[in-house]
Amino acid sequence: MRACAWAVVVGLIATVGGVSGGVASASGDDAVSRRYVALGDSLAFGYSPLLEDPWIPERFVGYPEVIQQRTGMTTTNLACPGQTAQALVSRTAVDNGCFEQRAFARKSGFDLLHTDYQGTQVHAAVAAVRSKVPPSLISIQGGGNEWFLCTFDNPDPKQCLDESLPKVTDSLRQAVTQIRAAGYRGRIVLVGYHLVIGFEAQFRRLNGAIDLAAHQPGVTFADSAAPFDRYARNHHGDLCTVGLLVALPDGSCDPLHPSRIGHGLVADAVLAAAS
């Protein structure tokens, strides 16, 4: 989600309490020859409000970087805070600040993202597929910013979500279609979200929309909600108190963005879905 907008969310709800199994075990020259491309929003980017000043992309470590550390695969993280699922495939689609921030960063001459590129994330993924070193794994995460816009920037959140979720499904399907049309035949993993405290029902619906888009050959859904819930129950707390979310100085948590532990669980889910 958009960094500046998410600060508002923290204040509002932080008080609410074909890739083989070799991906996960690759090593040596085999691992180096493999490439992983991640598309997504601020979760895939690894955003934390604690790391904004100074803004240095390398400081933000998300599950794509965890996957690189675990597998040795070269990782290209295309994720952009504020990107909607719809804007993954269209520059004219509704967005929550990603395109605006990219334009500002380019004009101001500073690095905003882990990877710079022109056009949409899907355009960049297609270019990666057509490159000399095409990816062996691609993950896509989107829909969280549609939820944000419906929940906090709309007078009728339920109707907005009813209208937006089919667009999330359709956009993720379009992303898969365009990547396949470029010649990619490997595994594509669509990544779900943990259940944000206080908004569990809405995120179950969002995950259902993402899972629906994964119902096609060579595409799988990575369930983040179940391992987060299981970890919290095993440690006798909620997502915040057990350390799965970014801890804030006031003792609360950023409700959407995972901690390093949380990103580790998402990485596990992505690699399991890719196997």
Side-chain angles (χ1 to χ4, degrees), residues 50-122:
L50 305 179
L51 302 176
E52 284 188 301
D53 188 17
W55 187 281
I56 301 172
E58 291 77 14
R59 299 177 70 198
F60 299 95
V61 177
Y63 61 85
E65 287 71 39
V66 175
I67 289 174
Q68 175 173 271
Q69 293 165 4
R70 292 183 180 178
T71 66
M73 289 192 294
T74 299
T75 294
T76 301
N77 189 343
L78 303 173
C80 180
Q83 191 88 99
T84 61
Q86 296 166 74
L88 289 171
V89 296
S90 172
R91 283 297 302 262
T92 61
V94 61
D95 190 47
N96 194 27
C98 168
F99 291 143
E100 179 183 349
Q101 291 179 94
R102 283 176 58 189
F104 175 79
R106 186 168 287 111
K107 181 179 179 180
S108 302
F110 73 90
D111 293 330
L112 175 72
L113 305 180
H114 292 290
T115 306
D116 191 27
Y117 49 89
Q118 299 291 330
T120 66
Q121 291 188 49
V122 168

Side-chain angles (χ1 to χ4, degrees), residues 14-273:
T15 55
V16 180
V19 175
S20 72
V23 169
S25 60
S27 60
D29 293 338
D30 182 56
V32 173
S33 68
R34 294 180 181 271
R35 183 180 180 189
Y36 163 42
V37 174
L39 293 74
D41 51 26
S42 59
L43 274 75
F45 180 78
Y47 172 75
S48 165
L50 305 179
L51 302 176
E52 284 188 301
D53 188 17
W55 187 281
I56 301 172
E58 291 77 14
R59 299 177 70 198
F60 299 95
V61 177
Y63 61 85
E65 287 71 39
V66 175
I67 289 174
Q68 175 173 271
Q69 293 165 4
R70 292 183 180 178
T71 66
M73 289 192 294
T74 299
T75 294
T76 301
N77 189 343
L78 303 173
C80 180
Q83 191 88 99
T84 61
Q86 296 166 74
L88 289 171
V89 296
S90 172
R91 283 297 302 262
T92 61
V94 61
D95 190 47
N96 194 27
C98 168
F99 291 143
E100 179 183 349
Q101 291 179 94
R102 283 176 58 189
F104 175 79
R106 186 168 287 111
K107 181 179 179 180
S108 302
F110 73 90
D111 293 330
L112 175 72
L113 305 180
H114 292 290
T115 306
D116 191 27
Y117 49 89
Q118 299 291 330
T120 66
Q121 291 188 49
V122 168
H123 289 154
V126 165
V129 168
R130 292 173 175 167
S131 71
K132 293 181 179 179
V133 186
S136 53
L137 172 63
I138 295 177
S139 69
I140 307 173
Q141 186 169 33
N145 281 290
E146 276 87 349
W147 166 84
F148 181 95
L149 292 171
C150 284
T151 303
F152 298 102
D153 290 347
N154 193 281
D156 191 341
K158 183 181 183 304
Q159 180 179 345
C160 178
L161 205 60
D162 289 344
E163 295 172 351
S164 294
L165 290 182
K167 296 177 182 178
V168 169
T169 301
D170 182 61
S171 297
L172 294 175
R173 285 173 173 163
Q174 288 184 48
V176 171
T177 297
Q178 292 184 37
I179 291 170
R180 292 293 189 214
Y184 180 71
R185 296 294 177 264
R187 180 71 68 183
I188 298 177
V189 178
L190 303 185
V191 186
Y193 295 83
H194 66 269
L195 304 182
V196 172
I197 298 172
F199 298 90
E200 291 88 350
Q202 293 180 5
F203 272 83
R204 287 190 184 95
R205 293 187 63 198
L206 173 57
N207 284 336
I210 297 169
D211 188 19
L212 185 61
H215 291 181
Q216 49 187 308
V219 183
T220 52
F221 172 70
D223 182 1
S224 298
F228 269 62
D229 178 66
R230 185 164 53 249
Y231 186 97
R233 285 188 285 105
N234 289 342
H235 290 79
H236 310 290
D238 61 25
L239 305 189
C240 178
T241 59
V242 302
L244 292 177
L245 305 174
V246 173
L248 301 175
D250 64 2
S252 65
C253 292
D254 178 321
L256 185 68
H257 297 101
S259 65
R260 294 292 180 94
I261 298 173
H263 278 296
L265 294 184
V266 181
D268 289 340
V270 171
L271 289 174

